[in-house]
């Protein structure tokens, strides 16, 4: 039995399955007909395999822009539509950056530990290959610069948002939502922007600034003012941001190459990466 990393112990049954980590013994003994995760005599009209990296960034950013906490939580998901008993090896770029990882039982753990390659005979269809965690040293894809000043009865808001050089120019940052939770004694706001839509909820006192896509030429700015009960001056809120970037992994993980053995047919490989903002908080 191979122990799942502690950070993933709560999801061990889901990721590793009962008796997870024993696949290396099954495969090394050649007991291929005893592989519990794959049916025998699988047939396909075409032979394809798709690998998806889904990553989510959590971070805390100080008012000066310094990142004091960050992590990437990732899922590696596979859709295998391949006939027979394919034996696959994936070589992953930047694999050394992973701090914790838990695999599906089909993965040969010794190959990963020794070579940082993923060697496996896949189940038929969709399955979760791995869950992984990368701590700190996360390159943030965007910046948010909020400036919120509180006076005697009114306050001013000025928020800028833009992309960083870590994201290639040909990648779009989409589905952006900047959230500002005002205090409960906020009476009202007058916030505007040339970009996207600004929505203030009178009940929750939360402002959402939404953009479908981050512009690459101009810098979006949200600005205006808000009023509040002067008897209870509000504390400065913590701003948060969410987003999505298609075909880009914040971790830098990529499939460098794929090798197929045990079958001689031609096949198609597709790889996709999606990075989204999880809980990213920016202090004012």
């Amino acid at each position: 039995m191979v122990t799942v990393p502690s950070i993933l112990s709560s999801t061990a049954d889901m990721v590793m399955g009962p008796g997870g980590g024993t696949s290396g013994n099954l495969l090394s003994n050649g007991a291929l007909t005893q592989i519990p995760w794959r049916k025998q005599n699988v047939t396909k009209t075409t032979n394809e395999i798709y690998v998806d990296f889904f990553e989510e960034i959590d971070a805390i950013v100080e008012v000066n822009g310094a990142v004091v906490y960050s992590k990437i939580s990732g899922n590696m998901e596979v859709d295998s539509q391949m006939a027979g008993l394919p034996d696959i090896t994936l070589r992953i770029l930047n694999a050394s950056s992973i701090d914790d990882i838990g695999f599906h039982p089909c993965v040969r753990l010794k190959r990963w530990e020794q070579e940082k390659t993923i060697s496996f005979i896949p189940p038929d269809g969709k399955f979760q290959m791995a869950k992984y965690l990368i701590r700190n040293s996360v390159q943030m894809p965007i910046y948010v610069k909020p400036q919120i000043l509180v006076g005697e009865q009114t306050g001013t808001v000025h928020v800028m948002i833009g992309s960083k050089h870590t994201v290639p120019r040909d990648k779009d940052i989409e589905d952006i939502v900047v959230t500002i939770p005002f205090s409960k004694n906020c009476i009202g706001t007058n916030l505007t922007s040339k970009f996207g839509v600004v929505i203030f909820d009178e009940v929750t006192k939360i402002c959402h600034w939404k953009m479908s896509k981050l512009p690459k030429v101009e810098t979006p700015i949200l600005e205006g003012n808000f009023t509040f009960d002067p008897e209870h001056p509000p504390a400065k809120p913590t701003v948060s941001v969410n987003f999505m970037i298609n075909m880009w992994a914040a971790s830098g993980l990529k499939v460098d190459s794929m090798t197929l053995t045990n079958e001689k047919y031609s096949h198609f490989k597709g790889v996709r990466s999606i990075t989204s903002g999880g809980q990213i908080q920016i202090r004012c």
Side-chain angles (χ1 to χ4, degrees):
M1 177 70 70
V2 177
T3 303
V4 183
S6 58
I7 191 69
L8 300 173
S9 60
S10 61
T11 57
D13 288 340
M14 178 182 68
V15 178
M16 301 290 287
T22 60
S23 58
N25 294 332
L26 284 170
L27 297 175
S28 61
N29 291 336
L32 298 179
T33 57
Q34 298 179 18
I35 297 176
W37 55 83
R38 186 173 181 88
K39 298 179 293 185
Q40 297 184 30
N41 304 317
V42 175
T43 59
K44 301 288 180 181
T45 55
T46 60
N47 293 286
E48 304 170 334
I49 185 167
Y50 299 91
V51 181
D52 291 333
F53 293 91
F54 296 106
E55 298 188 342
E56 189 173 89
I57 300 175
D58 295 334
I60 297 175
V61 183
E62 286 287 5
V63 65
N64 62 1
V67 179
V68 296
Y69 167 82
S70 63
K71 72 172 182 177
I72 296 174
S73 302
N75 290 332
M76 185 177 178
E77 299 184 5
V78 175
D79 185 1
S80 174
Q81 304 294 332
M82 304 184 75
L85 206 63
D87 199 328
I88 299 170
T89 299
L90 298 177
R91 298 192 180 278
I92 308 297
L93 287 178
N94 207 34
S96 60
S97 66
I98 296 175
D99 293 304
D100 275 330
I101 191 165
F103 286 109
H104 186 278
C106 70
V107 176
R108 298 177 174 98
L109 297 179
K110 287 186 178 180
R111 288 287 301 276
W112 171 261
E113 292 167 355
Q114 296 173 359
E115 307 170 24
K116 289 296 184 284
T117 59
I118 301 178
S119 177
F120 62 104
I121 294 178
D124 182 37
K126 297 180 179 180
F127 67 100
Q128 187 179 75
M129 173 82 81
K131 288 175 69 72
Y132 57 89
L133 180 65
I134 298 174
R135 300 186 187 91
N136 301 318
S137 67
V138 176
Q139 297 296 315
M140 297 294 290
I142 66 173
Y143 67 84
V144 179
K145 296 181 179 180
Q147 186 178 32
I148 299 178
L149 303 177
V150 178
E152 293 183 359
Q153 192 171 350
T154 63
T156 59
V157 175
H158 185 277
V159 181
M160 291 195 309
I161 183 171
S163 62
K164 288 192 171 184
H165 68 277
T166 52
V167 181
R169 292 286 296 175
D170 62 338
K171 305 302 180 186
D172 291 323
I173 302 177
E174 302 175 294
D175 300 334
I176 303 102
V177 180
V178 176
T179 301
I180 307 175
F182 289 94
S183 62
K184 294 301 181 181
N185 69 334
C186 178
I187 299 172
T189 65
N190 180 24
L191 303 175
T192 60
S193 176
K194 290 170 52 180
F195 299 93
V197 178
V198 182
I199 302 171
F200 177 71
D201 190 315
E202 295 287 352
V203 177
T204 63
K205 308 298 184 182
I206 296 176
C207 174
H208 295 290
W209 179 24
K210 300 181 179 181
M211 287 174 280
S212 60
K213 185 182 297 186
L214 194 65
K216 296 181 180 179
V217 178
E218 296 185 70
T219 300
I221 296 175
L222 171 71
E223 57 187 349
N225 55 67
F226 61 96
T227 57
F228 54 87
D229 180 356
E231 294 185 3
H232 301 89
K236 291 184 178 181
T238 297
V239 176
S240 62
V241 62
N242 296 92
F243 56 86
M244 190 272 292
I245 308 174
N246 199 15
M247 299 305 295
W248 183 77
S251 65
L253 296 180
K254 295 181 181 179
V255 175
D256 184 39
S257 65
M258 178 181 126
T259 305
L260 172 66
T261 58
N262 208 47
E263 298 290 350
K264 296 183 179 180
Y265 49 69
S266 60
H267 62 280
F268 173 80
K269 174 195 71 176
V271 180
R272 178 177 60 162
S273 300
I274 296 179
T275 295
S276 60
Q279 296 185 19
I280 300 179
Q281 300 180 343
I282 304 96
R283 295 168 177 166
C284 297

